[in-house]
Amino acid sequence: MRKFKKSLQVLSLMLVTATAVVAPVSASEVLPETSEAAITPPEAAITQQSNLVVQRNIEVKALGDIWAEGERERRAAGYADARKIFQPTGLYAKANEQIKIEVIGNKPITAVIGTHRHDQEWAIQYPLQAGINTISSPNGGLLSFDNSNNEGSINVNVVSGGSPVPFFVLGKNTKADWQEMMNAYPDAPSVVLQSEKALLVFTYASARDHILNQDPVPVLQTYDTFIAAQDKISGLSNSDSDPRHHLDKHLIGIIEQPNYTGGAYAYATWDGAIMPTSTGANADSLDLTRMGWGQYHEAGHLRQQGPWTWDEMGEVTVNLYSLAAKKVLKSTETARSPFEYFTAFTFVDQPTKNFSDSNSKLEMLWQLNLAFGDNFYPDLHRLYRETAKADLPTTNDQKKQAFILNTSKVAHYDLTPFFDKWGLSATNETRNKINSLNLPLLTAPIWFGSEYNIIKPTDGMDKVKSIIGVTTNSQETSSANNTAINAFDGNTNSIWHSEWSKQNQFPFNITAKYATPLTFNKLTYLPRQSEENGIITNYKILTSLDGVSFSQVATGTWAKDKTEKTVTFTPTLAKYVRLEVPQGGGTNGFASASEIKIFETDPITPVTTYLSDIDWFSATTGWGTIQKDRNADGNTLKLNDKTYTKGLGTHANSEIVYKLDGKYTSFTALVGVDGDVGSVGTVEFQVVVDNQVVFSSGVMNRNTAAKEVNVNLSGKNELKLKVTDSGDGINSDHADWVNARLVK
């Protein structure tokens, strides 16, 4: 009787497993076959806490086959296609300790001793038979069960063997329980914390150092919150009528690896999101003040779908799940920073590019979410799960083309213009497949979208207000913290600096490009804060509509100190704004900036005057007469089989001169060889402003696509429009200045 009472006290310390998988039994029911030697904690830890009783009679619910679940979700091979996370018991089997397990029923079930990556050795699995089974592991480890059946449950009774470890179950235990467990089992090799969606396996030492004095409840709730957000962006829900989109019942493992010697902060495998002790990832995983992107990212790897994760996207598509977690846990922060979006805009604004060269691949993915809404990626995941396995792409090229096609299906737009901008071009076969869907062609510049300026598919270029590119004639590229883009990234700790090895190479300049002309009237300059090299003391501000012809709108001097400087100027319509540092204007022969900001004012309402509505100052032509709103033959203006009602029709060699008197801000037109003539006619258009050539079309014939002209005229006095015969004579050289107009 005395021994019986002592055993009852001991049992009162043992931890209850998750309520979702445990059928409660009383202490007396499990007492007769319990090995006291295996479960007795230190005498000092003995206490009366009925909710800490270990449950050795366990209902192990069916979770499905780990590999089949991965295939159903179309998860990527290597680390996401299975989750080797099984149902815990809160018991630890010592090396070579015999564990006696009774299985009730005849369905297959497996016992597992050990936890992959957490233990020095790999876990060992033991298929169990109906009735009594005795197993042991030469390595030892936590005891868990795997019921890979698709439905039902199996009752097992851990008759003897195994020692309890701290095992905290969200919804069952409290902070006081947790501290009691930790006090009761100070020699436990491992601890287990379980929530609805996550299973944390850590060493006792890590738990003691990083979570003992915390409340585990909010920690586990945080995991459930961000994992649920990752479920959502994956289009997974048990309420979905289609079982292909149901949640995997296996938990997401957050596993400490004490013996890791690699260089990664953390990583993901079949065994879960692995958090090494040596890198501090273990501490970050247990402390809410330290938890962040690393945990979101590695859990995200367990979601990736293989059919749209080609080789260079392995560390990219995963971060859609990282962003989903960040959005729900840090809702006041933007998904991506101004610098990250700005880098993306600079890339897509290049005339030629290859997507593989971009460092902004995640921004491309996120722009689709911004443009088409939060259902875009859930729908994309569902589309891939609904695709027959035999029809899924397997090679990198197939995955790229399928992604272009399938995102177009989900967006209900032909997205080839978007992917062309990103240097990820569709093949003719893919374009034909998209054309067969009869989707509207995307014209909105969503490739310039960001959380600071969301561009929707119905928007025009006028919605793009941000800087889309930065150029400079000198920058130090040996360090990313010295490139021109840093002057506009919103981060005062990064700078633009002229090239270190080219001192006194004035003038230095840095130019911001906008997608469309905007009206500007102010610029601020914050010098670098660390030292004086490059602080600008003499400046010019110039603007341009075409990026070729610049006009000065302000000039002056600044004090050589670290305070922010402000320049205001007459409101000016421009696509390009340049800060120039003239001779001697940069301290110690350099130029630098921490931050440059350019400010819009209320837009100027442009006043447009068509050249065909006013008289020229002088005009000559090589054949016939110059026509207003007609071609040189007196017929309708026509370029590339499209007709126009306004413009000038002329013939090589011709010259038309207008006096401006500084009254206009720009000249715009569309130029080309008129459609009335054959392919024999070849011409070249030139625009000359104040005796300087500011536009040249190159040689054109009737099949050459019309070219846009956009010339800055601010402060200019004379505009000259010239057409030459390109050196082969004037035969059939009809030339049209379509929609030629002056803007005030």
Side-chain angles (χ1 to χ4, degrees), residues 696-707:
S696 181
S697 68
V699 178
M700 303 181 69
N701 60 38
R702 65 165 290 174
N703 295 319
T704 305
K707 296 186 178 182

Side-chain angles (χ1 to χ4, degrees), residues 470 472-488 494-504 508-510 525-536 581 586-596:
V470 175
T472 180
N473 65 349
S474 182
Q475 63 180 339
E476 181 53 48
T477 58
S478 64
S479 168
N481 284 332
N482 289 273
T483 55
I485 196 171
N486 295 317
F488 299 92
S494 63
I495 65 169
W496 160 60
H497 197 290
S498 60
E499 193 171 350
W500 295 343
S501 63
K502 294 184 178 179
Q503 194 173 7
N504 294 311
F508 297 119
N509 65 60
I510 184 169
Y525 162 69
L526 180 67
R528 62 183 302 185
Q529 300 296 292
S530 58
E531 55 182 280
E532 67 176 23
N533 267 7
I535 290 180
I536 299 170
V581 186
T587 304
N588 297 332
F590 301 104
S592 65
S594 173
E595 284 299 304
I596 298 170

Side-chain angles (χ1 to χ4, degrees), residues 16 19 54 60 77 86 98 128 162 197 204 221 223 369 374 405 427 438 496 562 565 595 650 665 680:
V16 181
T19 55
V54 71
V60 184
F86 308 117
Q98 288 194 340
L128 303 179
K197 295 180 178 293
Y204 183 94
Q221 287 174 335
Y223 278 103
N369 187 84
D374 289 340
L405 173 63
T427 62
N438 295 316
W496 160 60
K562 297 176 182 178
K565 326 297 182 184
E595 284 299 304
T650 185
T665 61
V680 176

Side-chain angles (χ1 to χ4, degrees), residues 357-639:
D357 299 329
S358 174
N359 294 320
S360 303
K361 297 179 179 69
L362 179 59
E363 283 66 44
M364 182 196 78
L365 296 180
W366 199 243
Q367 284 175 336
L368 293 171
N369 187 84
L370 294 173
F372 298 104
D374 289 340
N375 287 329
F376 181 84
Y377 281 109
D379 288 347
L380 183 66
H381 282 80
R382 281 191 283 265
L383 186 154
Y384 276 99
R385 284 195 293 271
E386 291 170 6
T387 301
K389 183 179 179 181
D391 295 332
L392 291 171
T394 55
T395 70
N396 284 329
D397 287 341
Q398 289 172 353
K399 290 179 181 182
K400 293 174 187 178
Q401 297 305 313
F403 186 70
I404 296 170
L405 173 63
N406 288 332
T407 52
S408 294
K409 289 179 180 179
V410 172
H412 303 295
Y413 275 88
D414 179 345
L415 295 182
T416 54
F418 172 76
F419 291 111
D420 286 341
K421 281 290 185 181
W422 275 99
L424 185 64
S425 294
T427 62
N428 288 335
E429 181 183 4
T430 299
R431 293 179 192 274
N432 290 336
K433 289 179 180 178
I434 294 174
N435 288 338
S436 70
L437 300 175
N438 295 316
L439 300 172
L441 184 69
L442 179 75
T443 58
I446 66 170
W447 47 87
F448 289 134
S450 71
E451 285 151 289
Y452 312 94
N453 185 29
I454 295 175
I455 308 295
K456 291 295 186 180
T458 54
D459 290 331
M461 189 64 76
D462 60 328
K463 183 71 182 293
V464 184
K465 301 291 186 180
S466 56
I467 296 172
I468 62 169
V470 175
T471 57
T472 180
N473 65 349
S474 182
Q475 63 180 339
E476 181 53 48
T477 58
S478 64
S479 168
N481 284 332
N482 289 273
T483 55
I485 196 171
N486 295 317
F488 299 92
D489 66 356
N491 180 3
T492 59
N493 294 319
S494 63
I495 65 169
W496 160 60
H497 197 290
S498 60
E499 193 171 350
W500 295 343
S501 63
K502 294 184 178 179
Q503 194 173 7
N504 294 311
Q505 299 296 303
F506 296 101
F508 297 119
N509 65 60
I510 184 169
T511 305
K513 178 184 178 181
Y514 291 80
T516 55
L518 300 170
T519 303
F520 302 102
N521 73 331
K522 185 171 77 170
L523 178 146
T524 63
Y525 162 69
L526 180 67
R528 62 183 302 185
Q529 300 296 292
S530 58
E531 55 182 280
E532 67 176 23
N533 267 7
I535 290 180
I536 299 170
T537 57
N538 191 1
Y539 68 87
K540 293 180 181 179
I541 311 297
L542 304 101
T543 62
S544 174
L545 284 167
D546 60 7
V548 177
S549 178
F550 282 81
S551 299
Q552 181 176 298
V553 295
T555 185
T557 60
W558 287 322
K560 190 176 71 174
D561 58 35
K562 297 176 182 178
T563 62
E564 187 176 66
K565 326 297 182 184
T566 300
V567 181
T568 58
F569 45 87
T570 302
T572 304
L573 188 69
K575 281 183 65 175
Y576 302 83
V577 181
R578 173 175 292 174
L579 171 60
E580 183 172 287
V581 186
Q583 184 65 41
T587 304
N588 297 332
F590 301 104
S592 65
S594 173
E595 284 299 304
I596 298 170
K597 296 179 182 178
I598 304 167
F599 296 85
E600 289 182 71
T601 186
D602 292 335
I604 299 171
T605 302
V607 177
T608 299
T609 302
Y610 284 96
L611 294 186
S612 60
D613 293 337
I614 61 175
D615 294 331
W616 47 70
F617 176 76
S618 64
T620 59
T621 181
W623 180 86
T625 59
I626 297 173
Q627 301 282 331
K628 293 183 176 182
D629 299 332
R630 292 284 173 178
N631 70 10
D633 286 328
N635 299 324
T636 301
L637 296 163
K638 182 165 61 176
L639 299 180

Side-chain angles (χ1 to χ4, degrees), residues 16-213:
V16 181
T17 56
T19 55
V21 296
V22 170
V25 295
S26 69
S28 60
E29 287 178 305
V30 301
L31 182 62
E33 296 194 60
T34 297
S35 170
E36 181 182 340
I39 62 174
T40 304
E43 289 290 334
I46 296 176
T47 184
Q48 295 290 340
Q49 291 287 337
S50 60
N51 60 342
L52 302 185
V53 176
V54 71
Q55 299 296 327
R56 289 176 171 265
N57 280 17
I58 303 170
E59 180 190 1
V60 184
K61 291 190 175 180
L63 303 183
D65 179 77
I66 58 173
W67 303 103
E69 288 295 274
E71 183 176 304
R72 172 179 65 83
E73 288 190 22
R74 305 290 188 242
R75 295 201 296 257
Y79 42 48
D81 52 345
R83 296 180 190 158
K84 293 182 180 178
I85 301 299
F86 308 117
Q87 296 182 60
T89 64
L91 293 171
Y92 189 94
K94 297 182 178 69
N96 298 311
E97 179 183 9
Q98 288 194 340
I99 309 295
K100 185 180 291 186
I101 301 170
E102 181 184 13
V103 177
I104 302 168
N106 56 8
K107 288 186 177 180
I109 187 171
T110 300
V112 183
I113 296 179
T115 305
H116 286 110
R117 312 288 172 170
H118 179 68
D119 296 316
Q120 184 71 36
E121 300 84 4
W122 283 59
I124 301 177
Q125 299 192 23
Y126 302 87
L128 303 179
Q129 305 297 323
I132 299 296
N133 301 258
T134 300
I135 64 174
S136 66
S137 166
N139 306 323
L142 291 166
L143 174 66
S144 57
F145 290 105
D146 176 26
N147 180 352
S148 60
N149 297 293
N150 292 321
E151 59 184 14
S153 59
I154 300 171
N155 290 317
V156 299
N157 176 25
V158 183
V159 177
S160 63
S163 304
V165 299
F167 181 19
F168 186 97
V169 180
L170 183 64
K172 172 65 178 178
N173 298 114
T174 65
K175 179 180 180 181
D177 295 339
W178 170 247
Q179 292 174 334
E180 187 65 37
M181 296 172 196
M182 292 293 287
N183 290 334
Y185 311 124
D187 297 324
S190 303
V191 303
V192 181
L193 299 99
Q194 180 179 331
S195 67
E196 179 185 353
K197 295 180 178 293
L199 184 71
L200 281 61
V201 178
F202 283 76
T203 64
Y204 183 94
S206 289
R208 178 195 62 215
D209 294 343
H210 303 296
I211 198 173
L212 175 59
N213 295 319

Side-chain angles (χ1 to χ4, degrees), residues 304-305 308-309 313-321 362 365:
Q304 283 176 282
Q305 288 188 315
W308 51 285
T309 302
M313 300 297 279
E315 291 298 327
V316 180
T317 60
V318 58
N319 281 326
L320 287 171
Y321 314 101
L362 179 59
L365 296 180

